[in-house]
Amino acid sequence: MLSSNVFTKKGYFYKFLRPWIGLGLVTSGGEMWRKQRKMIQPAFHFAVMNNIVGIVNRKAEVLLQILELQADSQWFDILPIMYACSLDIMVEAFMNVQLDVQHGNCLEYSESIRRITALVSERVTNVMLHRDFVHRFTDNYKKQQECYRVLHGLSSKLVQEKMKERREQEGTPEIEESNAKKKSLIEILVNLKDPVTGYLTEKQIRDEVDTFLFAGQDTTATAVCWSILLVGQHPDVQKKIFEELDEVFGDSDRFPEKEDLPKLKYLECVFKEALRLYPPIPFISRRIFQNSAVGDYFIPAGVNIAVHIHQLHRSSDHYENPNKFDPSHFFTENVQKRHPYAYLPFSAGPRNCIGQKFATIEAKIILAQIFRNYEIESKFKMEENVPILDLVFNSENGIVIRIKKRTPRA
């Protein structure tokens, strides 16, 4: 199903995201989705990905300054702090704008993202709210509208400013060369011109902006926090991370560079194992629009199919001790034994996550910087952190940790 070019239309529940992110890359399907994917792909070119290392390093430096205020103190929930860091990274990387959320700016926008994810999740899980006619008479609807006012207000402002810049440049001799150098997502979208239909509309661009601010910020921040939480519960794993970081960086306090990232092999295994146990998006679905077969099963047109990623990742058919946190699951020799689709944190096939490389770079740099500076202790044991679905996989108890400055190497 995942590798098919036929089953590319998203399932029923994705419609509840459309008032927020419209028909962006996540919610669109069919030929429209194929066109969007091709249009957006240049924003994820490897040369562009190399440029984000500097952005992530700058935001991670601010993160460390904020964490320093918590060092050697009481327990705290790192999730809100990580949300702010990830949002700062996303906005600068894809919108070429600095919001500085980590220092308390644009708090209304950041808080609206938190509220809207909870409200949409509530609607998804309450069948009484599925019908639009009923939903419009509820408090849930009124609260969502207020969130949309804030969220669309900022994204519309960003798009309008970039469209104004394009109009001011039109007709100048440098315009073609300037457009060819556009690298951020919003600049690519604003300057994209179809020979038949012309430039994209403000609404089309805003849908993609809203999509990436949601899909990139929320999921990566949550995945990084689960990684920190799990490492804080396993001192043996933390010790191995320290050893690898010391081997790569020594006594230097320099920022990680792109050449360092492939050397952080064990840290990447840790991140992947966290994604296995707690995939930010625990299930995905497709709507089947023609009679089809999946394996030995006949699937009639009109049916929704769901892939339960969380359950798949904990299957003993694919993983030894599937409920245990064990980064060795992702050692090369173990990965080679498994079917490639036994691990789906970024989905797979034509509709795999376009930003998975971006997310991995961001996560490795942030985790490296945190563990270069701090020892982590988690308040709750693994079985005490009950996961809850709030569009993404969160913890009922929060990601509660305590940090202590690392002792310099002898």
Side-chain angles (χ1 to χ4, degrees), residues 271-323:
F271 179 58
K272 288 181 175 179
E273 177 70 348
L275 286 172
R276 181 186 72 83
L277 288 169
Y278 300 105
I281 306 298
F283 72 91
I284 55 177
S285 69
R286 301 282 190 272
R287 188 165 179 82
I288 308 304
F289 284 89
Q290 63 186 55
N291 292 339
S292 307
V294 176
D296 296 329
Y297 295 92
F298 170 72
I299 309 295
V303 165
N304 286 275
I305 294 181
V307 177
H308 202 307
I309 296 172
H310 177 260
Q311 184 175 343
L312 173 67
H313 283 184
R314 291 174 180 248
S315 170
S316 58
D317 292 341
H318 305 293
Y319 297 93
E320 186 176 350
N321 297 320
N323 293 315

Side-chain angles (χ1 to χ4, degrees), residues 231 234 236-242 244 261-272 325-328 330-331 364:
V231 172
H234 297 81
D236 57 325
V237 171
Q238 192 160 186
K239 183 175 182 292
K240 292 178 182 178
I241 292 175
F242 292 158
E244 180 177 74
L261 300 184
K263 301 174 186 177
L264 302 176
K265 295 179 180 179
Y266 187 73
L267 184 64
E268 184 167 339
C269 290
V270 168
F271 179 58
K272 288 181 175 179
F325 175 65
D326 183 1
S328 71
F330 291 93
F331 289 179
K364 288 179 75 172

